[in-house]
Amino acid sequence: MMKGLKKWRFPAMLAALALVLSGCGEEYLSTLRPAGEVGQEQFNLLILTSLIMLLVIIVVVVIYVAALFKFRRSKLGEDHMPDDVEGSHKLEFIWTAVPILLLLIIAIPTVYYTYKLGDVSAMEKTNDDGDPEHLVVDVTAKLYWWEFEYPEYGIVTAQELVVPTGEKVFFNLKAADVKHSFWIPAIGGKMDTNVDNLNKFYLVFDKESKDLKDGVFYGKCAELCGPSHALMDFKVKTLNRDDFDNWVASMKDTENQVADKDSADAGEAAFAQSCIGCHATSAVGASGAAGPNMATFGDRNRVAGYLDHSKENIVNWIQDPQKYKPGNLMPAFDSLSDEDLDAIADYLLGLKVEE
Ligand code: CUA
């Protein structure tokens, strides 16, 4: 019985692995399903190096197994003595030249793309009117959330990055407290955000995110930054240029966001009393706030970057933020009445700029 089971141990393990790993292929999250020029170029490098590695492994294994069988004692006899050779110029040449060749095949495209993808000179370019030619987003990573400022438009948002499709978007990356790392797996490789310098790179978003599950790409913090590092998620909405321009226009007008529920008025008042010191509700402004900007909160996909976007989660979060993101800087507002909490949640859910 045990023997019969043992026979299936390896195939069962493979099947379990396949099942677990198949979860890694989601379009909104996977490096292996690139959705932009940068991600595609990096993916191609990944495939090239993996193929060459695979080729080396196959050749080595084949030679090894062939030698094992060909030179077995049972085949050659007990008294067989191998030829006494002092060396082989032919073999030495092959095992020196082939690795050099393989490394060259890997090195040339790697160096080329390292320089190409690191080239941010176009960032400063302006058109005839003096406007920047490319969109630049200033990203600030904080414990444990993300701030996105669009200096050209004088607007700021948090937790959900909004970008146009089909063009280079440049990023200035920095951190406000400790080192984090900005990563949108489906769009391109990660880059650190540091406290003492600006890191710059560009990404291209080729696919509108509305077709995806939840309508967004997933972004992550990729540098161990504290107890809530794994919860430091953000989302990315990619819109075509026209929709993006409309979004910018409505973001400039968030002073007058109207919530349509009655309790939202009470919520606005309660929010003004307890929350506004850290959380702005107008998108017009610059980065540097103590807490995430709330201007588009009603349009977002998550509470605190990763919880389901529900009223219940907003209330729970306000009452005890440490329970959901240990180590974050928001104190608990457990003295607020149930009515106030309810009203604040209604008010926040009403803060929208999208239809
Ligand atoms: Cu921020 Cu990990």
Side-chain angles (χ1 to χ4, degrees):
M1 176 68 185
M2 282 307 282
K3 239 184 170 173
L5 276 181
K6 257 189 180 163
K7 202 173 75 180
W8 292 104
R9 203 162 59 179
F10 188 63
M13 222 166 67
L14 276 186
L17 205 64
L19 209 67
V20 173
L21 291 179
S22 60
C24 303
E26 300 294 354
E27 221 179 341
Y28 53 85
L29 180 63
S30 177
T31 298
L32 303 180
R33 299 181 71 176
E37 181 192 304
V38 173
Q40 186 64 52
E41 287 168 354
Q42 293 170 344
F43 177 76
N44 294 346
L45 283 179
L46 189 88
I47 294 297
L48 174 73
T49 41
S50 301
L51 283 179
I52 288 178
M53 191 178 67
L54 198 66
L55 177 77
V56 171
I57 290 175
I58 290 173
V59 169
V60 169
V61 167
V62 165
I63 294 175
Y64 178 76
V65 172
L68 272 186
F69 281 95
K70 198 172 167 196
F71 299 109
R72 269 195 301 192
R73 195 174 290 275
S74 62
K75 203 167 164 190
L76 297 175
E78 284 294 329
D79 301 329
H80 175 79
M81 284 292 282
D83 290 342
D84 210 359
V85 289
E86 153 258 344
S88 162
H89 287 302
K90 201 163 110 189
L91 281 177
E92 280 163 16
F93 177 78
I94 290 175
W95 69 54
T96 309
V98 170
I100 290 177
L101 190 72
L102 292 182
L103 285 180
L104 276 176
I105 295 176
I106 294 176
I108 291 169
T110 302
V111 171
Y112 170 76
Y113 282 113
T114 301
Y115 280 91
K116 183 181 177 222
L117 297 175
D119 179 13
V120 290
S121 55
M123 207 165 178
E124 320 287 341
K125 275 194 190 143
T126 49
N127 60 20
D128 296 340
D129 302 332
D131 294 327
E133 236 169 58
H134 299 281
L135 175 65
V136 177
V137 182
D138 293 349
V139 177
T140 311
K142 308 190 184 190
L143 292 166
Y144 297 93
W145 60 281
W146 299 87
E147 190 166 61
F148 305 112
E149 183 185 359
Y150 300 71
E152 182 189 351
Y153 305 118
I155 56 176
V156 64
T157 185
Q159 297 296 67
E160 218 161 274
L161 172 69
V162 179
V163 284
T165 50
E167 55 187 272
K168 280 186 181 175
V169 179
F170 288 84
F171 293 90
N172 283 313
L173 305 167
K174 68 173 193 290
D177 30 51
V178 298
K179 189 192 280 277
H180 304 267
S181 181
F182 178 80
W183 189 28
I184 310 165
I187 305 296
K190 58 194 83 162
M191 187 170 272
D192 275 2
T193 65
N194 298 329
V195 177
D196 43 12
N197 73 298
L198 268 190
N199 277 341
K200 301 172 182 200
F201 76 163
Y202 71 87
L203 295 171
V204 180
F205 302 79
D206 275 353
K207 188 176 166 35
E208 281 185 45
S209 64
K210 67 171 189 289
D211 312 328
L212 303 170
K213 177 182 167 249
D214 296 338
V216 285
F217 287 104
Y218 281 34
K220 295 266 177 204
C221 175
E223 177 78 43
L224 185 59
C225 54
S228 290
H229 153 70
L231 306 174
M232 193 171 160
D233 293 357
F234 62 99
K235 303 287 176 279
V236 186
K237 239 175 226 163
T238 59
L239 308 171
N240 63 49
R241 227 326 152 168
D242 288 345
D243 288 346
F244 178 78
D245 288 339
N246 289 337
W247 177 80
V248 169
S250 40
M251 284 292 276
K252 287 179 173 171
D253 194 30
T254 43
E255 301 279 7
N256 309 313
Q257 286 178 103
V258 213
D260 43 12
K261 276 192 184 167
D262 290 343
S263 65
D265 285 341
E268 186 171 7
F271 190 92
Q273 197 146 63
S274 302
C275 321
I276 206 133
C278 294
H279 298 279
T281 53
S282 161
V284 178
S287 66
N293 188 297
M294 290 290 161
T296 55
F297 187 83
D299 294 323
R300 291 181 199 161
N301 262 274
R302 294 288 190 277
V303 173
Y306 81 100
L307 298 166
D308 280 344
H309 201 245
S310 70
K311 196 165 160 179
E312 192 190 347
N313 278 335
I314 301 173
V315 170
N316 289 343
W317 170 269
I318 297 172
Q319 281 181 314
D320 191 3
Q322 297 304 321
K323 181 174 164 194
Y324 298 97
K325 263 190 185 173
N328 87 81
L329 301 181
M330 177 164 161
F333 285 80
D334 42 10
S335 58
L336 284 170
S337 70
D338 287 350
E339 293 80 61
D340 277 350
L341 285 166
D342 200 67
I344 289 174
D346 275 339
Y347 168 62
L348 290 176
L349 287 170
L351 297 177
K352 292 178 175 205
V353 299
E354 290 169 29
E355 293 308 308

Coordinates of all heavy atoms in Angstrom, one line a residue, residues 241-306:
R241 N -5.9 58.6 -23.4 CA -5.5 60.0 -23.2 C -6.7 60.9 -22.9 O -6.7 61.8 -22.0 CB -4.7 60.6 -24.4 CG -3.4 61.3 -24.1 CD -3.4 62.2 -22.9 NE -2.0 62.3 -22.4 CZ -1.6 63.2 -21.5 NH1 -2.5 64.0 -20.9 NH2 -0.4 63.2 -21.1
D242 N -7.8 60.7 -23.6 CA -9.0 61.6 -23.4 C -9.6 61.4 -22.0 O -9.8 62.4 -21.3 CB -10.1 61.3 -24.5 CG -9.6 61.8 -25.8 OD1 -8.7 62.6 -25.9 OD2 -10.3 61.3 -26.8
D243 N -9.7 60.2 -21.6 CA -10.3 59.9 -20.3 C -9.3 60.5 -19.2 O -9.8 61.0 -18.2 CB -10.5 58.4 -20.1 CG -11.7 57.9 -20.9 OD1 -12.4 58.8 -21.4 OD2 -11.8 56.7 -21.0
F244 N -8.0 60.3 -19.5 CA -7.1 60.8 -18.5 C -7.2 62.4 -18.4 O -7.2 62.9 -17.3 CB -5.6 60.4 -18.9 CG -4.6 61.0 -17.9 CD1 -4.4 60.4 -16.7 CD2 -3.8 62.1 -18.3 CE1 -3.5 60.9 -15.8 CE2 -2.9 62.6 -17.4 CZ -2.7 62.0 -16.1
D245 N -7.3 63.1 -19.5 CA -7.4 64.5 -19.5 C -8.7 64.9 -18.7 O -8.7 65.9 -17.9 CB -7.4 65.1 -20.9 CG -6.0 65.0 -21.5 OD1 -5.0 64.9 -20.8 OD2 -6.0 65.0 -22.8
N246 N -9.8 64.2 -18.9 CA -11.0 64.5 -18.2 C -10.8 64.2 -16.7 O -11.3 65.0 -15.9 CB -12.1 63.5 -18.6 CG -12.6 63.9 -20.0 OD1 -12.4 65.0 -20.5 ND2 -13.2 62.9 -20.7
W247 N -10.1 63.2 -16.4 CA -9.8 62.9 -14.9 C -9.0 64.1 -14.3 O -9.4 64.5 -13.2 CB -9.1 61.6 -14.8 CG -8.7 61.2 -13.4 CD1 -9.5 60.7 -12.5 CD2 -7.4 61.4 -12.8 NE1 -8.8 60.5 -11.3 CE2 -7.5 61.0 -11.5 CE3 -6.2 62.0 -13.2 CZ2 -6.5 61.0 -10.6 CZ3 -5.1 62.0 -12.3 CH2 -5.3 61.5 -11.0
V248 N -8.0 64.5 -15.0 CA -7.2 65.6 -14.5 C -8.1 66.9 -14.3 O -8.1 67.5 -13.2 CB -6.1 66.0 -15.5 CG1 -5.4 67.3 -15.1 CG2 -5.0 64.9 -15.5
A249 N -9.0 67.1 -15.3 CA -9.8 68.3 -15.2 C -10.8 68.2 -13.9 O -10.9 69.2 -13.2 CB -10.7 68.5 -16.4
S250 N -11.3 67.0 -13.7 CA -12.2 66.9 -12.6 C -11.4 66.9 -11.2 O -11.9 67.3 -10.2 CB -13.1 65.7 -12.7 OG -12.4 64.6 -13.2
M251 N -10.2 66.4 -11.3 CA -9.4 66.5 -10.1 C -9.1 67.9 -9.7 O -8.9 68.2 -8.5 CB -8.0 65.8 -10.3 CG -8.1 64.3 -10.3 SD -8.5 63.6 -8.7 CE -6.9 63.5 -8.0
K252 N -9.0 68.8 -10.7 CA -8.7 70.2 -10.4 C -9.9 70.9 -9.7 O -9.9 72.0 -9.2 CB -8.3 71.0 -11.6 CG -6.9 70.6 -12.1 CD -6.6 71.4 -13.4 CE -5.2 71.1 -13.8 NZ -4.9 71.7 -15.2
D253 N -11.1 70.2 -9.8 CA -12.3 70.8 -9.3 C -12.8 70.0 -8.1 O -14.0 70.0 -7.8 CB -13.3 70.7 -10.4 CG -14.5 71.6 -10.2 OD1 -14.3 72.6 -9.5 OD2 -15.6 71.3 -10.6
T254 N -12.0 69.4 -7.3 CA -12.5 68.5 -6.2 C -12.9 69.3 -5.0 O -13.4 68.8 -4.0 CB -11.4 67.5 -5.8 OG1 -10.2 68.1 -5.8 CG2 -11.4 66.3 -6.8
E255 N -12.6 70.7 -5.0 CA -13.1 71.5 -3.9 C -14.6 71.3 -3.7 O -15.1 71.4 -2.6 CB -12.8 73.0 -4.2 CG -11.4 73.3 -4.4 CD -10.6 73.5 -3.2 OE1 -11.2 73.2 -2.1 OE2 -9.4 73.9 -3.2
N256 N -15.3 71.1 -4.9 CA -16.7 71.1 -4.8 C -17.4 69.8 -5.0 O -18.4 69.6 -5.5 CB -17.2 72.0 -6.0 CG -16.6 73.4 -5.9 OD1 -16.5 74.0 -4.8 ND2 -16.1 73.9 -7.1
Q257 N -16.7 68.7 -4.5 CA -17.3 67.4 -4.6 C -18.5 67.4 -3.8 O -18.5 67.8 -2.6 CB -16.3 66.4 -4.1 CG -15.2 66.1 -5.0 CD -14.2 65.1 -4.4 OE1 -14.2 63.9 -4.8 NE2 -13.4 65.5 -3.5
V258 N -19.6 66.9 -4.4 CA -20.8 66.8 -3.6 C -21.2 65.4 -3.3 O -21.2 64.5 -4.2 CB -22.0 67.4 -4.4 CG1 -23.0 68.1 -3.4 CG2 -21.5 68.4 -5.4
A259 N -21.5 65.1 -2.1 CA -21.9 63.8 -1.7 C -23.5 63.8 -1.8 O -24.1 64.8 -1.4 CB -21.5 63.4 -0.3
D260 N -24.1 62.7 -2.2 CA -25.5 62.8 -2.4 C -26.4 62.2 -1.2 O -27.6 62.3 -1.2 CB -26.0 62.2 -3.7 CG -25.3 60.9 -4.0 OD1 -24.6 60.4 -3.0 OD2 -25.3 60.4 -5.1
K261 N -25.7 61.7 -0.2 CA -26.5 61.2 0.9 C -26.6 62.2 2.0 O -25.7 63.0 2.2 CB -25.8 59.9 1.5 CG -26.1 58.7 0.8 CD -25.6 57.5 1.6 CE -25.8 56.2 0.8 NZ -25.1 55.1 1.4
D262 N -27.7 62.2 2.7 CA -27.9 63.2 3.7 C -26.9 63.1 4.8 O -26.4 64.1 5.3 CB -29.3 63.0 4.4 CG -30.4 63.4 3.4 OD1 -30.1 64.1 2.4 OD2 -31.5 63.0 3.6
S263 N -26.5 61.9 5.2 CA -25.6 61.7 6.3 C -24.2 62.2 5.9 O -23.4 62.4 6.8 CB -25.6 60.3 6.7 OG -25.0 59.5 5.7
A264 N -24.0 62.4 4.6 CA -22.7 62.9 4.2 C -22.3 64.3 4.7 O -21.2 64.6 5.0 CB -22.5 62.8 2.7
D265 N -23.4 65.1 4.9 CA -23.1 66.5 5.4 C -22.6 66.4 6.8 O -21.7 67.0 7.2 CB -24.4 67.3 5.4 CG -24.8 67.7 4.0 OD1 -23.8 67.7 3.1 OD2 -25.9 68.0 3.7
A266 N -23.3 65.5 7.6 CA -22.9 65.3 9.0 C -21.5 64.8 9.0 O -20.6 65.1 9.8 CB -23.8 64.4 9.7
G267 N -21.2 63.9 8.0 CA -19.9 63.2 7.9 C -18.8 64.3 7.6 O -17.7 64.2 8.1
E268 N -19.2 65.2 6.7 CA -18.2 66.2 6.4 C -17.8 67.0 7.6 O -16.6 67.4 7.8 CB -18.8 67.2 5.3 CG -17.8 68.2 4.8 CD -18.3 68.9 3.6 OE1 -19.5 68.8 3.2 OE2 -17.5 69.7 3.0
A269 N -18.8 67.3 8.4 CA -18.6 68.1 9.6 C -17.7 67.3 10.6 O -16.7 67.8 11.2 CB -19.9 68.5 10.3
A270 N -18.0 66.0 10.8 CA -17.2 65.2 11.7 C -15.8 65.0 11.2 O -14.9 65.0 11.9 CB -17.9 63.8 11.9
F271 N -15.7 64.9 9.9 CA -14.4 64.7 9.2 C -13.6 66.0 9.5 O -12.4 65.9 9.8 CB -14.6 64.5 7.7 CG -13.3 64.1 7.0 CD1 -13.0 62.7 6.9 CD2 -12.5 65.0 6.5 CE1 -11.8 62.4 6.2 CE2 -11.3 64.7 5.8 CZ -11.0 63.3 5.7
A272 N -14.2 67.2 9.3 CA -13.5 68.4 9.5 C -13.0 68.6 10.9 O -12.0 69.2 11.1 CB -14.4 69.6 9.1
Q273 N -13.7 68.0 11.8 CA -13.3 68.1 13.2 C -12.1 67.1 13.6 O -11.2 67.5 14.2 CB -14.5 67.7 14.1 CG -14.3 68.2 15.5 CD -15.7 68.6 16.1 OE1 -16.6 67.8 16.2 NE2 -15.8 69.9 16.4
S274 N -12.2 65.9 13.1 CA -11.3 64.9 13.5 C -10.2 64.5 12.6 O -9.1 64.0 13.0 CB -12.0 63.6 13.9 OG -13.0 63.8 14.9
C275 N -10.4 64.7 11.3 CA -9.5 64.0 10.3 C -8.8 65.0 9.4 O -7.7 64.6 8.9 CB -10.4 63.1 9.4 SG -11.7 62.2 10.3
I276 N -9.3 66.2 9.2 CA -8.8 67.0 8.1 C -7.4 67.5 8.3 O -6.6 67.8 7.4 CB -9.8 68.1 7.8 CG1 -9.6 68.6 6.3 CG2 -9.5 69.3 8.7 CD1 -10.9 68.7 5.6
G277 N -6.9 67.4 9.6 CA -5.6 67.8 9.9 C -4.5 67.0 9.2 O -3.5 67.5 8.8
C278 N -4.9 65.7 8.9 CA -3.9 64.8 8.2 C -4.4 64.5 6.8 O -3.6 64.2 5.9 CB -3.8 63.5 9.0 SG -3.0 63.7 10.6
H279 N -5.7 64.5 6.6 CA -6.2 64.0 5.3 C -6.9 65.2 4.5 O -8.0 65.6 4.9 CB -7.2 62.9 5.5 CG -6.7 61.7 6.1 ND1 -6.0 60.7 5.4 CD2 -6.7 61.2 7.4 CE1 -5.6 59.7 6.3 NE2 -6.0 60.0 7.5
A280 N -6.3 65.6 3.5 CA -7.0 66.6 2.6 C -8.1 66.0 1.8 O -8.0 64.8 1.5 CB -6.0 67.3 1.7
T281 N -9.1 66.7 1.5 CA -10.2 66.2 0.6 C -10.2 66.9 -0.7 O -11.1 66.5 -1.5 CB -11.6 66.3 1.3 OG1 -11.8 67.7 1.7 CG2 -11.6 65.4 2.5
S282 N -9.3 67.8 -0.9 CA -9.2 68.4 -2.2 C -7.9 67.9 -2.9 O -6.9 67.8 -2.2 CB -9.1 69.9 -2.1 OG -8.6 70.5 -3.3
A283 N -8.0 67.6 -4.2 CA -6.9 67.0 -4.9 C -5.9 68.1 -5.3 O -4.8 67.8 -5.7 CB -7.3 66.2 -6.1
V284 N -6.4 69.4 -5.2 CA -5.5 70.5 -5.6 C -4.5 70.7 -4.5 O -4.9 71.0 -3.4 CB -6.3 71.7 -5.9 CG1 -5.4 72.9 -6.2 CG2 -7.4 71.5 -7.0
G285 N -3.2 70.6 -4.9 CA -2.2 70.8 -3.9 C -0.9 70.1 -4.2 O -0.8 69.6 -5.3
A286 N 0.0 70.0 -3.2 CA 1.2 69.3 -3.4 C 1.4 68.2 -2.4 O 0.6 68.0 -1.5 CB 2.4 70.3 -3.3
S287 N 2.4 67.4 -2.6 CA 2.6 66.2 -1.7 C 3.1 66.7 -0.4 O 3.4 67.9 -0.2 CB 3.6 65.3 -2.4 OG 4.9 65.9 -2.4
G288 N 3.2 65.8 0.6 CA 3.7 66.2 1.9 C 2.7 66.1 3.0 O 3.0 66.5 4.1
A289 N 1.5 65.6 2.7 CA 0.5 65.5 3.8 C 0.9 64.4 4.7 O 1.6 63.4 4.4 CB -0.9 65.2 3.2
A290 N 0.3 64.4 6.0 CA 0.6 63.4 7.0 C -0.1 62.1 6.6 O 0.4 61.0 6.9 CB 0.2 63.9 8.4
G291 N -1.3 62.2 6.1 CA -2.1 61.0 5.7 C -2.5 61.1 4.3 O -2.5 62.1 3.6
P292 N -3.0 60.0 3.7 CA -3.4 59.9 2.3 C -4.5 61.0 2.0 O -5.4 61.2 2.7 CB -3.9 58.5 2.2 CG -3.3 57.7 3.2 CD -3.1 58.7 4.4
N293 N -4.3 61.6 0.8 CA -5.3 62.5 0.3 C -6.6 61.7 0.0 O -6.6 60.6 -0.5 CB -4.8 63.1 -1.0 CG -5.7 64.2 -1.5 OD1 -6.8 64.0 -1.9 ND2 -5.2 65.4 -1.5
M294 N -7.8 62.2 0.3 CA -9.0 61.5 0.2 C -9.9 61.9 -1.0 O -11.0 61.4 -1.1 CB -9.8 61.7 1.5 CG -9.2 61.0 2.7 SD -9.4 59.2 2.5 CE -8.2 58.7 3.7
A295 N -9.3 62.8 -1.8 CA -10.2 63.4 -2.8 C -11.0 62.4 -3.7 O -12.1 62.6 -4.1 CB -9.4 64.3 -3.7
T296 N -10.4 61.3 -4.0 CA -11.1 60.3 -4.9 C -11.4 59.1 -4.2 O -11.6 58.0 -4.8 CB -10.2 60.0 -6.1 OG1 -8.9 59.4 -5.6 CG2 -9.9 61.1 -7.0
F297 N -11.6 59.2 -2.9 CA -11.7 57.9 -2.1 C -12.9 57.1 -2.6 O -12.8 55.8 -2.6 CB -11.9 58.3 -0.6 CG -11.9 57.0 0.2 CD1 -10.7 56.4 0.6 CD2 -13.1 56.4 0.6 CE1 -10.7 55.3 1.4 CE2 -13.1 55.2 1.3 CZ -11.9 54.7 1.7
G298 N -14.0 57.7 -3.0 CA -15.2 56.9 -3.4 C -14.9 56.1 -4.7 O -15.6 55.2 -5.0
D299 N -13.9 56.6 -5.5 CA -13.6 55.9 -6.8 C -12.6 54.7 -6.5 O -12.4 54.0 -7.4 CB -12.9 56.8 -7.7 CG -13.8 57.9 -8.2 OD1 -15.0 57.6 -8.4 OD2 -13.4 59.1 -8.4
R300 N -12.0 54.7 -5.4 CA -10.9 53.7 -5.2 C -11.5 52.3 -5.0 O -12.6 52.1 -4.7 CB -10.0 54.1 -4.0 CG -9.2 55.4 -4.4 CD -8.3 55.9 -3.3 NE -8.0 57.3 -3.5 CZ -7.5 58.1 -2.6 NH1 -7.3 57.6 -1.3 NH2 -7.2 59.3 -2.9
N301 N -10.5 51.4 -5.0 CA -10.9 50.0 -5.0 C -10.7 49.3 -3.6 O -11.2 48.2 -3.4 CB -9.9 49.2 -5.9 CG -10.5 49.0 -7.2 OD1 -11.2 48.0 -7.4 ND2 -10.3 49.9 -8.2
R302 N -10.0 50.0 -2.8 CA -9.6 49.4 -1.5 C -9.7 50.4 -0.4 O -9.5 51.6 -0.6 CB -8.2 48.8 -1.5 CG -8.0 47.6 -2.5 CD -8.7 46.4 -2.0 NE -8.3 45.2 -2.8 CZ -8.8 44.9 -3.9 NH1 -9.8 45.6 -4.4 NH2 -8.4 43.8 -4.5
V303 N -9.9 49.9 0.8 CA -9.7 50.7 2.0 C -8.3 50.4 2.5 O -7.9 49.3 2.6 CB -10.7 50.4 3.1 CG1 -10.5 51.1 4.4 CG2 -12.1 50.7 2.6
A304 N -7.5 51.5 2.8 CA -6.1 51.3 3.3 C -5.3 50.5 2.3 O -4.3 49.9 2.7 CB -6.1 50.7 4.7
G305 N -5.6 50.5 1.1 CA -4.8 49.9 0.0 C -5.0 48.4 -0.2 O -4.7 47.9 -1.2
Y306 N -5.7 47.7 0.8 CA -5.8 46.3 0.6 C -7.2 45.7 1.1 O -7.5 44.6 0.7 CB -4.7 45.6 1.2 CG -4.7 45.3 2.7 CD1 -5.2 44.1 3.2 CD2 -4.4 46.3 3.6 CE1 -5.2 43.9 4.6 CE2 -4.5 46.1 4.9 CZ -4.9 44.9 5.4 OH -5.0 44.7 6.8

